[in-house]
């Protein structure tokens, strides 16, 4: 199986696609200035106590106050709070962590109002991003994740991933980290640490300790909470940290700065694989070149087609996701309806497992498969779904089919489900139903080019249009594009882009910055 990561960096957002055998299986898109990402640490202020919920709301600068439950304070909250007071008491020198006094663990049945009060400053970490009307979910049990290990301040244990099965390797890693870790720190050894040398683990431990000290220094000097004191790594790097596999065939990036960040990171964690990180410099948009755009258009939306005319209908609600399996235009098999239902359901299980990863759907997922009479067929479908979900990194649980033919799946949700608009709004009429004559579209484009070159003074730019329009502009020996270049200069480039609607266009300067050339009556209301 070939695996490739494609990273599309745009001025306003960054998109990351994971391809397995050229098939899109994971997709993430975030604004470049996104805040409240999982892993960020804030010095917040308690806004309101909720004794009935045994929780409180914390102001961390989000539009909605963040939620902190008593059980998320962590067993060592008393030690943590005392240490933070010692740190805040001296603005010039950091109080050594090794000298921190360890207090008794918090009781599991305690009350939050005995430990927090309104207006109190508290150091918290985001564990779940804002979803719909809910603010971020917080914890005081801080952690700093690396590629091989996770550092936990005020922990004391060394835990080894249960996916590392060999007893002697578990013992080696546990003893190794026990000898390395400083006092008053805990360590979780991740699955990828199996077989790693002591020097590599020690180097990563030093990096994570430095992040903790930098975060404390910012908290120490902070005078006006709420303030972010630690930001999770760049989205592209953070995703690679969890996703990276030595079997990757390529990581392609279309931005030199992000390319350098990723190459530096891969050089640290897998020096022999540094060459798989490649800077994409092609003229065609990177997602179009790797067939990602087309798969996004076909993979999202309410209806998803798969094998031989069958399709899924996926509905999202506040409480759950509902999936309906339909045989569609499939031709019935000669050996009957039961065989036809089984084949349709098995194909649906394959596609659904991909959709869960692709859309990052979480919470409760209820799937209405086509009814099957034979118990062995229902068991085969359940086993197929379990096998498909083994590739999913998110925690999940799958129940066998109920007597109504429904399968229930729960999947970890830490951020909103990914949704991509696949319907294209008309870029010329904006819903009025009336457009200018389409044969005049190129005249309109030439007027924009004339204004760019002769009035605004931008001589070098690219024009992104629908592939059909690009083909029309480029057709013939004496093409329209050639005539434009002869008239306005050779700095004009026409790029076919699959994300464009039929009569949509976008101008970009030589630095790939968007140039808004829309007139007032073209801007959507």
């Amino acid at each position: 199986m070939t695996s490739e990561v494609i990273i599309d960096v745009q001025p306003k957002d960054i998109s990351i696609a994971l391809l397995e055998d050229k098939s899109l299986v994971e997709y993430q898109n975030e604004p470049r200035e996104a805040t409240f990402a999982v892993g960020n640490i804030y010095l917040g202020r308690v806004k309101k106590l909720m004794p009935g919920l045994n929780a409180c709301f914390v102001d961390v600068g989000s539009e909605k106050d963040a939620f902190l439950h008593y059980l998320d304070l962590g067993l060592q909250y008393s030690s943590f709070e005392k240490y933070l007071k010692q740190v805040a008491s001296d603005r010039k020198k950091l109080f050594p962590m090794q000298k921190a006094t360890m207090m008794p663990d918090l009781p599991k049945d305690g009350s939050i109002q005995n430990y927090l009060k309104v207006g109190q400053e508290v150091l918290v970490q985001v564990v779940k991003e804002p979803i719909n009307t809910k603010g971020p979910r917080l914890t005081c049990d801080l952690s700093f994740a690396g590629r091989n290990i996770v550092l936990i301040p005020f922990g004391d244990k060394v835990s080894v991933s249960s996916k590392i099965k060999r007893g002697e390797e578990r013992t080696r890693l546990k003893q190794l980290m026990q000898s390395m870790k400083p006092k008053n720190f805990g360590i979780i050894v991740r699955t990828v640490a199996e077989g790693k040398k002591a020097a590599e683990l020690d180097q990563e431990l030093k990096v994570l300790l430095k992040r903790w000290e930098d975060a404390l220094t910012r908290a120490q000097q902070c005078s006006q909470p709420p303030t972010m004191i630690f930001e999770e790594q760049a989205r592209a790097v953070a995703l690679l940290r969890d996703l990276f596999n030595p079997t990757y065939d390529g990581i392609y990036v279309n931005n030199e700065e992000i390319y350098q960040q990723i190459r530096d990171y891969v050089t640290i964690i897998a020096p022999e694989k540094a060459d798989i990180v490649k800077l994409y410099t092609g003229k065609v948009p990177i997602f179009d070149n790797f067939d990602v755009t087309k798969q996004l258009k076909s993979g999202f939306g309410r209806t998803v087609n798969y094998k031989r005319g069958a399709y899924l209908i996926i509905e999202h609600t506040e409480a759950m996701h509902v999936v309906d399996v339909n045989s569609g235009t499939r031709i019935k098999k000669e050996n009957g309806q039961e065989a036809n239902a089984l084949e349709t359901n098995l194909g649906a299980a394959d596609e659904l497992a991909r959709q869960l990863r692709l859309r990052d759907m979480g919470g409760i997922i209820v799937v209405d498969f086509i009814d099957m009479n034979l118990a062995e067929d229902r068991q085969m479908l359940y086993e197929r779904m379990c096998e498909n979900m083994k590739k999913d990194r998110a925690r999940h649980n799958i129940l066998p089919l109920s007597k109504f033919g429904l399968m229930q799946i729960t999947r970890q949700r830490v951020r909103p489900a990914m949704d991509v608009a696949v319907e294209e709004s008309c870029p010329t009429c904006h819903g009025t139903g009336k457009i200018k004559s389409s044969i005049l579209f190129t005249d309109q484009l030439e007027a924009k080019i004339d204004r760019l070159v002769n009035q605004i003074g931008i001589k070098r730019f690219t024009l992104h249009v629908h592939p059909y329009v690009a083909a029309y502009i480029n057709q013939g020996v004496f093409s329209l594009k050639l005539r434009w270049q002869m008239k306005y200069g050779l700095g004009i480039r026409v790029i076919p882009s699959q994300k464009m609607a039929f009569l949509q266009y976008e101008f970009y300067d030589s630095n790939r910055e968007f140039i808004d050339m829309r007139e007032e009556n073209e801007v959507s209301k």
Side-chain angles (χ1 to χ4, degrees):
M1 181 179 70
T2 60
S3 297
E4 296 171 310
V5 176
I6 317 299
I7 302 172
D8 181 20
V9 182
Q10 296 297 328
K12 292 185 178 180
D13 59 11
I14 179 169
S15 302
I16 302 169
L18 173 62
L19 305 179
E20 292 180 355
D21 289 335
K22 304 297 181 182
S23 177
L24 180 65
V25 293
E26 290 197 29
Y27 175 73
Q28 293 288 342
N29 174 273
E30 284 192 4
R32 295 186 72 172
E33 67 278 4
T35 55
F36 310 110
V38 171
N40 287 0
I41 298 177
Y42 294 83
L43 184 64
R45 193 182 296 278
V46 177
K47 195 82 172 285
K48 185 178 182 181
L49 293 175
M50 304 289 289
L53 297 174
N54 205 12
C56 68
F57 288 103
V58 181
D59 180 13
V60 292
S62 171
E63 183 179 348
K64 295 280 185 179
D65 289 335
F67 183 79
L68 175 66
H69 193 271
Y70 171 79
L71 294 177
D72 292 322
L73 292 177
L75 294 176
Q76 295 297 330
Y77 176 74
S78 298
S79 309
F80 187 38
E81 183 187 27
K82 184 173 182 179
Y83 177 69
L84 284 179
K85 287 180 180 177
Q86 292 170 322
V87 168
S89 64
D90 187 349
R91 299 272 181 184
K92 296 181 180 179
K93 188 177 179 182
L94 204 60
F95 189 81
M97 183 74 169
Q98 287 75 10
K99 294 183 180 180
T101 305
M102 297 301 288
M103 306 291 288
D105 291 357
L106 256 65
K108 291 184 179 180
D109 57 351
S111 176
I112 197 166
Q113 54 195 352
N114 295 332
Y115 298 92
L116 294 176
K117 60 180 183 292
V118 174
Q120 180 178 335
E121 294 180 7
V122 59
L123 204 60
V124 290
Q125 187 169 33
V126 177
V127 292
K128 186 180 286 188
E129 292 180 12
I131 297 176
N132 295 333
T133 59
K134 300 174 183 175
R137 179 76 183 261
L138 305 176
T139 181
C140 290
D141 214 353
L142 308 186
S143 62
F144 294 81
R147 168 71 178 160
N148 299 297
I149 60 176
V150 180
L151 179 71
I152 303 176
F154 292 101
D156 191 37
K157 296 179 181 178
V158 173
S159 305
V160 180
S161 169
S162 59
K163 292 183 180 179
I164 299 177
K165 302 297 183 183
R166 291 190 299 123
E168 60 272 20
E169 178 64 5
R170 293 178 63 85
T171 303
R172 181 188 78 88
L173 289 169
K174 195 162 189 173
Q175 291 176 347
L176 192 60
M177 297 315 304
Q178 285 282 13
S179 64
M180 286 182 186
K181 79 175 187 70
K183 185 181 176 184
N184 295 334
F185 284 98
I187 299 285
I188 297 174
V189 181
R190 306 182 78 173
T191 307
V192 291
E194 187 171 7
K196 294 291 170 61
K197 295 179 180 178
E200 190 174 347
L201 297 175
D202 184 55
Q203 176 64 28
E204 186 168 63
L205 178 59
K206 288 177 180 175
V207 171
L208 297 179
L209 285 168
K210 179 69 165 57
R211 290 180 189 169
W212 163 244
E213 290 170 2
D214 290 346
L216 278 180
T217 302
R218 292 191 190 97
Q220 184 185 41
Q221 297 170 355
C222 175
S223 57
Q224 187 96 22
T227 303
M228 181 169 64
I229 63 166
F230 170 77
E231 185 172 14
E232 188 48 285
Q233 293 168 297
R235 186 72 197 121
V237 176
L239 184 72
L240 279 178
R241 183 191 65 204
D242 299 330
L243 271 184
F244 184 78
N245 191 312
T247 62
Y248 277 174
D249 298 280
I251 300 171
Y252 300 90
V253 196
N254 65 346
N255 178 280
E256 196 162 353
E257 180 186 351
I258 303 295
Y259 159 77
Q260 201 58 53
Q261 289 178 10
I262 293 172
R263 186 177 172 85
D264 291 345
Y265 180 70
V266 173
T267 301
I268 293 172
I269 63 173
E272 72 284 359
K273 284 291 182 178
D275 290 339
I276 70 172
V277 185
K278 299 179 177 68
L279 179 63
Y280 177 79
T281 56
K283 294 181 179 179
V284 177
I286 187 170
F287 271 11
D288 289 8
N289 184 69
F290 290 94
D291 199 33
V292 175
T293 306
K294 187 174 181 180
Q295 293 192 59
L296 283 174
K297 296 280 188 181
S298 62
F300 284 86
R302 181 174 178 268
T303 303
V304 179
N305 296 298
Y306 62 102
K307 295 178 181 178
R308 299 176 187 170
Y311 60 94
L312 304 177
I313 294 179
I314 302 176
E315 296 278 7
H316 305 278
T317 72
E318 181 76 19
M320 66 177 67
H321 306 279
V322 182
V323 182
D324 186 35
V325 179
N326 292 276
S327 57
T329 58
R330 285 180 56 90
I331 299 173
K332 293 184 178 180
K333 297 181 74 70
E334 294 178 359
N335 49 352
Q337 172 62 26
E338 185 72 16
N340 189 62
L342 175 61
E343 186 176 342
T344 303
N345 284 339
L346 291 178
D350 297 339
E351 179 61 27
L352 179 60
R354 185 178 81 98
Q355 286 290 328
L356 294 181
R357 293 173 66 189
L358 181 59
R359 303 185 187 217
D360 202 10
M361 293 159 61
I364 301 171
I365 300 104
V366 177
V367 191
D368 182 13
F369 286 102
I370 297 173
D371 291 342
M372 296 183 295
N373 297 322
L374 300 179
E376 56 265 32
D377 287 350
R378 294 194 294 270
Q379 181 63 24
M380 186 188 301
L381 175 59
Y382 171 68
E383 291 173 358
R384 178 76 157 260
M385 195 71 208
C386 292
E387 183 65 27
N388 290 336
M389 293 291 285
K390 284 182 179 179
K391 298 177 185 177
D392 198 333
R393 293 176 297 114
R395 289 196 301 269
H396 58 269
N397 187 31
I398 306 171
L399 297 181
L401 270 74
S402 71
K403 64 180 180 179
F404 299 116
L406 301 177
M407 179 181 286
Q408 298 173 64
I409 303 171
T410 59
R411 188 175 182 273
Q412 180 187 22
R413 177 165 69 174
V414 295
R415 57 177 57 90
M418 181 61 60
D419 194 17
V420 175
V422 295
E423 293 82 10
E424 296 174 347
S425 59
C426 175
T428 44
C429 78
H430 304 294
T432 64
K434 296 180 180 180
I435 64 173
K436 296 177 182 177
S437 175
S438 56
I439 198 67
L440 301 177
F441 179 62
T442 52
D443 294 344
Q444 182 185 6
L445 287 179
E446 185 171 354
K448 305 282 184 184
I449 293 170
D450 180 69
R451 185 174 166 221
L452 262 179
V453 174
N454 296 321
Q455 295 183 32
I456 301 177
I458 299 177
K459 307 290 186 182
R460 300 182 64 83
F461 56 86
T462 57
L463 170 62
H464 288 225
V465 291
H466 189 277
Y468 289 176
V469 177
Y472 175 77
I473 292 173
N474 289 309
Q475 73 172 345
V477 177
F478 196 57
S479 66
L480 190 56
K481 174 187 172 183
L482 181 60
R483 279 181 273 161
W484 286 349
Q485 288 178 332
M486 292 172 63
K487 187 175 181 180
Y488 301 105
L490 296 176
I492 300 173
R493 291 167 56 201
V494 178
I495 304 294
S497 177
Q498 294 177 12
K499 74 174 184 178
M500 295 288 109
F502 184 52
L503 296 181
Q504 189 177 6
Y505 61 90
E506 288 181 354
F507 286 93
Y508 292 88
D509 64 17
S510 55
N511 297 319
R512 295 189 177 184
E513 295 288 335
F514 174 67
I515 308 171
D516 192 347
M517 292 296 293
R518 294 175 299 173
E519 298 172 5
E520 186 176 349
N521 63 345
E522 293 182 301
V523 179
S524 299
K525 298 297 187 286

